[in-house]
Amino acid sequence: MGDAGTNKNDQALLERIAAQFSESASLKLSCAGPLSEPLARSGKLLADALRGGGKVLACGNGGSAADAQHFAAELVNRFERERAPLAGIALTTDSSTLTSIANDYAYVAVFSKQLRAIGRRGDVLLAISTSGNSANVVDAIGTAHDLGMRVVALTGNGGGKMAAALDAQDVHVCVPHRRTARIQEVHLLALHCLCDAIDYELFGGSA
């Protein structure tokens, strides 16, 4: 009896895992059409900024903070080819800066104060939020605009408050899904598409 119950539970778990793979793969394939154009525009925008001596400043919370750090690492070190380092900075990594701003002012300012210190016209803000409603990311978008920076926004679920904060010079890559895990999975693919597009734009077609 115990073995039969265990086997039944194991089968249910296997089916849940298979369903996760299926949903993720289906969503990624369905996004290829609607997201290809904004990703291409984003890749060109980022490449132009880097070519002109600017840098990419990335921010997000939680899993999106990890994505910001991942993207910065791909720029500074390498993606899939040998090339010169590119200027990417994650605004999520300096715990002393983050905690001092949050403690002395407010958590909403943890990215915008860093932007005011190191952001310049010609730089690009990569703003990541699965909901589009992260207050500190929305605040960073406003600061980026004040500094004359353009924004690439990665969101989901309609884009939330970030969608309304963007202007015509920015690019919005919005995953058409409500589930955070699925949105994050497409964000990771989108970031790899951006890395590839930057390398393609700056260094040519072959890896």
Side-chain angles (χ1 to χ4, degrees):
M1 183 74 70
D3 287 345
T6 300
N7 290 338
K8 184 176 179 181
N9 289 338
D10 287 350
Q11 184 58 38
L13 180 56
L14 291 172
E15 289 172 359
R16 287 181 67 87
I17 291 169
Q20 300 264 18
F21 274 88
S22 179
E23 185 178 66
S24 182
S26 295
L27 177 61
K28 287 171 182 172
L29 287 172
S30 72
C31 287
L35 297 191
S36 290
E37 191 275 337
L39 283 171
R41 284 195 290 128
S42 298
K44 288 179 177 290
L45 188 161
L46 293 166
D48 286 345
L50 293 164
R51 186 185 291 115
K55 56 191 176 293
V56 182
L57 301 162
C59 67
N61 297 282
S64 297
D67 285 342
Q69 292 162 214
H70 182 159
F71 184 74
E74 304 280 30
L75 290 187
V76 172
N77 185 28
R78 63 184 293 248
F79 180 51
E80 292 184 327
R81 67 173 73 195
E82 295 299 328
R83 48 120 168 106
L86 299 173
I89 299 172
L91 302 178
T92 55
T93 58
D94 186 336
S95 59
S96 294
T97 295
L98 292 168
T99 54
S100 67
I101 295 169
N103 184 63
D104 294 348
Y105 296 92
Y107 188 70
V108 72
V110 293
F111 301 137
S112 56
K113 275 189 77 80
Q114 292 186 76
L115 280 179
R116 291 195 185 281
I118 62 177
R120 300 290 183 269
R121 182 180 296 275
D123 294 343
V124 177
L125 174 67
L126 177 63
I128 310 173
S129 170
T130 57
S131 68
N133 291 321
S134 300
N136 52 9
V137 180
V138 174
D139 196 54
I141 290 172
T143 298
H145 290 156
D146 290 344
L147 295 171
M149 296 170 56
R150 295 176 68 179
V151 178
V152 171
L154 267 59
T155 71
N157 197 21
K161 295 177 182 178
M162 283 171 59
L166 300 172
D167 66 26
Q169 301 302 309
D170 301 326
V171 187
H172 188 191
V173 180
C174 182
V175 179
H177 207 273
R178 299 176 66 86
R179 189 173 172 189
T180 297
R182 296 291 89 88
I183 296 167
Q184 287 175 331
E185 288 157 8
V186 178
H187 278 181
L188 179 56
L189 177 57
L191 290 172
H192 283 162
C193 289
L194 292 178
C195 290
D196 179 73
I198 289 167
D199 282 359
Y200 177 79
E201 289 290 316
L202 294 180
F203 305 107
S206 342

